[in-house]
Amino acid sequence: MSKSNSSLLKISHSRKQLSLLILLLIYGPVLMAQQKIVSQYEDPGSAYENRVIDLLHLEASVEPDTITGGVAGLAVYTFNPLRPYTDTITMYAPGIHPEYVKINNKNARFTLSGQTLIITGFPASISANNNLLEIKYKSSGPYEPYFVGWDDPTRRMRRQIWAHRPSGWIPFINDRLTVDLTITFSSKYLVYSNGERISVTQNQDGTSSWHYRMAHPHPFFSTALVIGKYAWKEMKTTSGIPLEYWYYPDMEDHFEPTYRYSTEMFDFLEKELDVSYPWELYRQAPVADYLYGAMETTTATIFGDYMAIDERGWWGRNYVNVNVHELTHQWFGNYIAHQPGSDVWLTESLATYYAKLFEKSIFGNDYYEKERLSEQKKAFTQAEQDDYPLAHSRAGSFRWYQKGSLVLDMLRDEMGDSLFRKAMTHYLKKFAFAEASSHDFIKAFYEVTGLPLDWFFDQWLFRGGEPHFEVSFTARPDYTELTVRQIQPATPTTGPFRATTTVVAGYTDGSTSSHRITLSGKDSTFRLANKKRLPVSYVIFDSGNRLLKKLTFNRAFDQLAAAATGATLTIDRYEALTAMRSFTPAVKRKALLAAASKSENELIYTEVLSQLGLDKDPGSSSLFTGALRHPDALIRRAAIENYTLTNPGDTAHIFHLLSDPDYINTELALRKLCAFMPEKAGFWLATTAGETGWRGRNIRMAWLEIAVRSGESNRIDELKDFASPSFDFETRINAIKALQNLGFLDPSHAVNLVKAYHHWNPKLSRPAWDAISIYAATEKNRVLIEKAFDQEGLTLPQFKN
Ligand SMILES: [Zn+2]
């Protein structure tokens, strides 16, 4: 799956909650025991589940009911007992109420305990193979599937039913199985699920039955259901895989930008992995009010419809990364599945990693470097919370996704391209249509390369922490002495890191020398040969930024300036620029402008603009004037974000952004102009009156908020409407925030806030609760909120003081 930015799990655990498993390894059979103590995190989430039966096949029919918000279902499982005396089967069945349970056509006893269905009372006829377990049931929610829009009496919200897991609508046991699933619903809607669509049968009562088949055993949890008003287009990959990409018929102009590069992704992954796409076909559908970015159920990905973009949304956020991430899961996640929570990284790190490589192949190396910087930032954000290892069930999203992706970069650097690819192909083929663990992965890598990489996996998978290098250098006549200290805090699970990296020395004549060094202990010193005995102008540690690390490297400004313009790699120049942040514009202006003029690179430009935003020197001003009209939307965005308006004449430099091809730039320009000269807001509002924007109607929301502030109080009704259940969650959030900024609350908006708070999607309920908490700080508003909770038949939760 892919988390969208706003929904990332923030997992934090107190150190006190941790317990350390102390293993005593005794060395030396004869001598007095010389003991080495190795500490590791204990992880209850690394346990395998208790499996009583082996599910082979599921034949199910379900009929969603928009009145009850549940389904009526019949599920027949074919299974083999795994042990001779199977007498209890437990299934995960939240919200499911069985009418009967039969085993081999004879009634079995069952009870519900919380979310678990416990089946006992087995007939004597259980055989070693191909038993039938039949369950007829109804479900009642509030679990999956989610019913979207059916509560909107105005019928403006899209009506959909979707699920990205079987939980709540099919009794579940985690296993791999083949499936025949038939879904019956009103013929006015299309129905989407996994695998081949065998038939669509029109029934007498105005419904249609859609029969889907998964002919290869796939992870049962990886099951989807989507019902809605859709159309689809069919395409084929170069290798002949049929693609079926769904879209909203009223948004056909969004189809191409949304699914851009989709077939290229197949070509890239099949070539890179050297394993063909493992399933018969692939399809995708957007869904409304989705919980995450997307979910890769087998052969059928579903994604948040907010990621369906038109051309103007491309650089706001396009779907390429998530699209290829989910596609990668068809190999890592569905073809090979992990089981215990400690092995999540095997699915998520690999998907994040290959998505990044695909983007590099399309958007180039600088884009890839920018992505890696973002991954590093997230990995360190997680590191501020705790130091769980990557292969741990509590590692958290930023580790499973971003840190893991960086660890794979480092693994590939360590092994070299060809061995890495060979090992990955072997791993995929070895565990095809099966489950694999972290140790299976390591063993597969060893089997075909013979490389003993235990130290690498131990350091980056099973132990927490990241290195922090403190670097200094002294230039001697014929060499440069480099000192590297590892200053990360020592913990029971983390020692000094081992790493091989590149150090580059730059000389006053413009030449450079490159040196590979291997770090191991706490302190290391290296002599970098300087055969021509040239004066050193800068040193770059970890050239290419390949290591996940913190770096303390105090350099004189002249050395930074020389690196920022002289280093060969963009990422090295960028690193030198970021090290200038604490210097004043007067000191660094010349060097920053030189760095920007040397390259039109977005990474460099953005950094320079962020450091010169308050500088009104003519050189900086002309940099901004150019950047505000730069053809690259992201450079224009960095310029508008950092630009400081100081006199009325400056508004002329950003006025053209009110009709920028990028929706975000338009919103930023509108807000900036109107905040600077509110008395001219009417003119800028008139210029942008026809703009809606993209996700959450971003431009219209800014527009309405500014209009109300400018005295058009009648506009408040439009904002209030947008906060109602007739709109998607992002529009509701934006409207809620705008009204909150305006300090507005009346009885009907209070009800909309409570409805948003009560929504099943935490992406909406959380900001709604934040707004409620702030409103409730004043007595008058608190009364309105309490009345709204009453009116909705809900209890107002306790406020945190
Ligand atoms: Zn994923």
Side-chain angles (χ1 to χ4, degrees):
M1 64 186 254
S2 167
K3 300 269 181 187
S4 65
N5 291 341
S6 56
S7 74
L8 282 158
L9 285 173
K10 288 250 161 48
I11 298 177
S12 101
H13 298 279
S14 145
R15 291 283 175 92
K16 285 175 194 153
Q17 283 179 282
L18 303 178
S19 57
L20 291 171
L21 174 68
I22 310 295
L23 297 173
L24 301 177
L25 298 179
I26 301 175
Y27 287 90
V30 182
L31 295 169
M32 288 290 286
Q34 184 192 355
Q35 293 182 327
K36 187 176 179 187
I37 298 172
V38 179
S39 304
Q40 289 186 323
Y41 278 103
E42 190 179 298
D43 186 0
S46 65
Y48 282 85
E49 63 205 8
N50 178 23
R51 217 171 250 180
V52 176
I53 58 172
D54 177 22
L55 292 184
L56 306 174
H57 182 73
L58 165 66
E59 182 144 358
S61 51
V62 295
E63 202 165 338
D65 181 344
T66 59
I67 308 295
T68 65
V71 305
L74 177 68
V76 182
Y77 306 81
T78 309
F79 73 91
N80 293 345
L82 286 168
R83 300 171 212 165
Y85 304 109
T86 299
D87 62 3
T88 305
I89 299 171
T90 57
M91 305 188 86
Y92 183 56
I96 286 179
H97 313 283
E99 185 183 316
Y100 66 73
V101 176
K102 290 180 180 177
I103 295 176
N104 295 337
N105 288 318
K106 296 208 170 63
N107 281 322
R109 287 194 296 276
F110 64 90
T111 53
L112 282 167
S113 170
Q115 301 188 330
T116 306
L117 170 62
I118 303 167
I119 301 163
T120 53
F122 281 37
S125 62
I126 286 247
S127 60
N129 293 306
N130 296 322
N131 298 280
L132 294 179
L133 165 64
E134 180 180 334
I135 305 172
K136 188 163 192 279
Y137 59 93
K138 281 203 162 80
S139 77
S140 59
Y143 308 96
E144 296 186 38
Y146 296 105
F147 289 72
V148 176
W150 302 88
D151 60 344
D152 172 26
T154 72
R155 301 199 67 153
R156 286 175 294 173
M157 183 63 188
R158 292 181 195 282
R159 292 192 158 180
Q160 292 179 359
I161 301 167
W162 58 257
H164 59 192
R165 291 282 180 254
S167 318
W169 56 288
I170 310 177
F172 174 77
I173 292 176
N174 187 20
D175 204 348
R176 294 185 81 94
L177 72 179
T178 54
V179 181
D180 278 283
L181 175 60
T182 301
I183 303 121
T184 299
F185 197 72
S186 160
S187 302
K188 292 177 188 160
Y189 294 81
L190 304 195
V191 177
Y192 171 109
S193 191
N194 310 80
E196 198 186 342
R197 188 169 39 253
I198 303 296
S199 63
V200 181
T201 312
Q202 293 235 347
N203 306 313
Q204 296 288 343
D205 60 356
T207 63
S208 294
S209 295
W210 297 63
H211 176 187
Y212 282 91
R213 173 176 293 160
M214 279 301 304
H216 283 99
H218 86 115
F220 186 10
F221 66 81
S222 211
T223 299
L225 166 68
V226 178
I227 299 175
K229 298 268 171 92
Y230 288 94
W232 71 67
K233 293 188 188 195
E234 292 174 3
M235 301 176 280
K236 266 205 163 88
T237 69
T238 309
S239 57
I241 301 293
L243 306 180
E244 185 186 285
Y245 285 4
W246 292 39
Y247 63 99
Y248 298 147
D250 56 311
M251 288 170 62
E252 191 169 358
D253 62 326
H254 288 50
F255 185 92
E256 190 283 324
T258 303
Y259 288 126
R260 192 171 293 166
Y261 302 123
S262 284
T263 55
E264 287 86 343
M265 290 167 195
F266 280 82
D267 298 345
F268 175 85
L269 288 169
E270 291 191 326
K271 186 161 177 256
E272 172 67 28
L273 302 173
D274 200 17
V275 175
S276 303
Y277 176 75
W279 313 96
E280 293 87 346
L281 60 107
Y282 189 60
R283 62 171 64 91
Q284 302 201 56
V287 297
D289 284 352
Y290 191 53
L291 292 158
Y292 311 120
M295 184 65 79
E296 72 287 2
T297 77
T298 317
T299 73
T301 284
I302 72 175
F303 64 97
D305 62 6
Y306 56 83
M307 290 218 256
I309 47 154
D310 63 8
E311 197 63 50
R312 291 182 65 187
W314 181 258
W315 290 118
R317 184 183 182 184
N318 59 55
Y319 181 52
V320 175
N321 182 277
V322 175
N323 191 354
V324 63
H325 176 110
E326 307 310 333
L327 177 61
T328 308
H329 278 317
Q330 299 303 323
W331 285 264
F332 302 102
N334 292 332
Y335 184 55
I336 298 184
H338 71 269
Q339 196 203 105
S342 53
D343 291 334
V344 171
W345 78 274
L346 277 176
T347 296
E348 294 305 345
S349 303
L350 285 154
T352 309
Y353 173 71
Y354 283 108
K356 179 175 65 178
L357 291 196
F358 174 72
E359 288 193 297
K360 182 182 177 185
S361 78
I362 296 289
F363 301 129
N365 195 61
D366 292 339
Y367 191 91
Y368 163 79
E369 296 296 357
K370 189 176 147 190
E371 192 131 326
R372 281 173 43 82
L373 288 170
S374 157
E375 289 181 339
Q376 289 167 359
K377 197 171 165 195
K378 286 177 179 166
F380 279 109
T381 300
Q382 191 83 51
E384 281 164 20
Q385 308 289 320
D386 54 62
D387 64 354
Y388 285 112
L390 177 57
H392 193 286
S393 64
R394 288 178 173 174
S397 299
F398 283 159
R399 279 201 188 93
W400 290 323
Y401 291 70
Q402 284 81 19
K403 179 173 177 178
S405 167
L406 293 164
V407 167
L408 289 161
D409 274 329
M410 291 189 285
L411 179 60
R412 191 171 187 144
D413 287 351
E414 193 63 41
M415 300 176 73
D417 270 351
S418 73
L419 287 186
F420 179 87
R421 289 184 55 209
K422 186 178 163 190
M424 199 64 86
T425 305
H426 175 61
Y427 166 71
L428 279 163
K429 288 185 172 164
K430 186 175 177 185
F431 296 98
F433 298 110
E435 278 174 0
S437 69
S438 297
H439 293 283
D440 291 331
F441 180 88
I442 293 167
K443 187 153 179 272
F445 267 57
Y446 179 72
E447 279 168 353
V448 289
T449 67
L451 277 173
L453 289 164
D454 309 59
W455 66 270
F456 182 94
F457 294 116
D458 188 54
Q459 173 174 296
W460 290 113
L461 279 190
F462 301 117
R463 293 172 185 280
E466 293 80 22
H468 183 168
F469 298 113
E470 186 182 72
V471 177
S472 60
F473 72 94
T474 311
R476 310 278 186 204
D478 56 354
Y479 67 90
T480 303
E481 186 172 285
L482 183 83
T483 305
V484 184
R485 295 180 60 214
Q486 298 204 27
I487 59 169
Q488 66 273 14
T491 74
T493 62
T494 319
F497 280 74
R498 177 172 157 187
T500 299
T501 188
T502 303
V503 177
V504 169
Y507 304 100
T508 47
D509 69 344
S511 67
T512 59
S513 63
S514 181
H515 311 264
R516 289 291 280 171
I517 60 168
T518 296
L519 307 155
S520 52
K522 205 165 172 343
D523 299 295
S524 319
T525 305
F526 305 89
R527 287 187 171 192
L528 316 176
N530 179 359
K531 286 177 193 148
K532 291 195 225 160
R533 300 170 76 95
L534 290 162
V536 175
S537 53
Y538 63 88
V539 168
I540 292 159
F541 174 78
D542 186 28
S543 174
N545 187 31
R546 300 304 300 171
L547 302 177
L548 175 58
K549 64 180 187 298
K550 278 189 178 165
L551 179 63
T552 298
F553 189 5
N554 290 320
R555 285 152 287 181
F557 183 79
D558 287 350
Q559 291 167 354
L560 293 174
T565 50
T568 311
L569 300 180
T570 305
I571 191 69
D572 292 346
R573 296 201 298 276
Y574 172 81
E575 191 277 326
L577 286 172
T578 60
M580 294 181 187
R581 285 175 187 169
S582 58
F583 293 91
T584 63
V587 172
K588 65 189 175 184
R589 182 186 305 122
K590 195 175 151 209
L592 290 172
L593 294 174
S597 72
K598 186 182 160 87
S599 117
E600 291 276 290
N601 178 284
E602 184 231 328
L603 197 58
I604 302 284
Y605 237 83
T606 302
E607 179 60 28
V608 170
L609 290 164
S610 76
Q611 292 193 40
L612 293 177
L614 295 170
D615 187 35
K616 283 294 160 189
D617 179 86
S620 297
S621 295
S622 85
L623 176 79
F624 270 91
T625 319
L628 287 162
R629 291 187 176 274
H630 199 279
D632 183 333
L634 296 179
I635 290 180
R636 291 198 303 281
R637 188 166 323 145
I640 181 75
E641 275 171 347
N642 292 290
Y643 188 57
T644 312
L645 291 157
T646 44
N647 62 64
D650 291 343
T651 59
H653 295 305
I654 58 175
F655 177 72
H656 66 284
L657 294 176
L658 291 179
S659 49
D660 196 272
D662 177 284
Y663 290 127
I664 295 178
N665 290 347
T666 298
E667 182 196 340
L668 288 170
L670 179 63
R671 287 189 186 277
K672 202 152 216 165
L673 285 167
C674 296
F676 179 64
M677 290 181 75
E679 66 276 18
K680 272 193 77 179
F683 173 64
W684 292 312
L685 288 171
T687 309
T688 47
E691 293 274 14
T692 300
W694 69 322
R695 295 171 53 169
R697 295 169 167 78
N698 74 313
I699 299 173
R700 187 66 183 168
M701 292 298 170
W703 194 98
L704 288 169
E705 185 185 332
I706 295 164
V708 173
R709 259 187 223 293
S710 310
E712 295 186 45
S713 54
N714 57 325
R715 301 286 181 183
I716 209 93
D717 289 338
E718 192 178 337
L719 272 178
K720 277 172 60 185
D721 188 34
F722 282 139
S724 76
S726 299
F727 295 92
D728 67 281
F729 77 99
E730 288 188 320
T731 297
R732 290 169 79 178
I733 291 169
N734 282 347
I736 286 169
K737 284 183 181 158
L739 288 164
Q740 195 186 325
N741 292 341
L742 294 165
F744 176 87
L745 187 70
D746 70 357
S748 65
H749 183 52
V751 168
N752 279 337
L753 279 175
V754 173
K755 283 182 171 157
Y757 161 70
H758 195 55
H759 198 273
W760 44 265
N761 190 338
K763 280 172 152 179
L764 175 59
S765 62
R766 278 192 207 128
W769 177 248
D770 291 344
I772 287 171
S773 308
I774 289 165
Y775 279 119
T778 60
E779 184 57 32
K780 180 172 138 262
N781 286 338
R782 193 182 176 113
V783 171
L784 284 177
I785 298 278
E786 279 169 351
K787 276 189 184 157
F789 269 94
D790 264 359
Q791 191 181 321
E792 290 297 296
L794 298 167
T795 314
L796 177 64
Q798 285 284 313
F799 291 104
K800 283 188 217 135
N801 289 316

